[in-house]
Amino acid sequence: NGDILNYIELSEEYSMVEQLLPRTWAGSSIVALDIRAKYNLTIIAVRRGEDMTISPGRDFTFQTGDCLVVLGRNSDIRRLEHL
């Protein structure tokens, strides 16, 4: 997928990836998207230009152009490709 910038395989089942923000998420917060419950993923960090927010809070609001560092099952990470 062209949206994945970096990929670290942690095990056969789990990975951590840096990828571009899904377009449909721009303008929404982590809590509004309910990412952990709906997608079974954890947002480790968000890179916005030169700034990196580590462990963003639930009220963090995404912007177009953000890059996410996401931890989760490979199958759950692949679901982001379709958003």
Side-chain angles (χ1 to χ4, degrees), residues 37-52:
K38 286 184 183 175
Y39 302 99
N40 202 26
L41 297 170
T42 300
I43 305 295
I44 302 296
V46 179
R47 183 167 46 89
R48 181 174 290 160
E50 297 296 318
D51 297 325
M52 180 74 85

Side-chain angles (χ1 to χ4, degrees), residues 21-29 32-33 60-64 66:
L21 179 76
R23 291 180 193 149
T24 58
W25 289 12
S28 297
S29 68
L33 291 168
F60 184 92
T61 299
F62 297 117
Q63 294 179 5
T64 301
D66 284 351

Side-chain angles (χ1 to χ4, degrees), residues 1 4-5 11 13-14 17-18 21-22 24 27 31-34 38 40 42 60 74 77 82:
N1 176 342
I4 293 180
L5 307 174
S11 70
E13 193 173 347
Y14 289 90
V17 299
E18 180 181 9
L21 179 76
T24 58
V31 69
L33 291 168
D34 203 12
K38 286 184 183 175
N40 202 26
T42 300
F60 184 92
N74 297 329
I77 291 171
H82 306 290

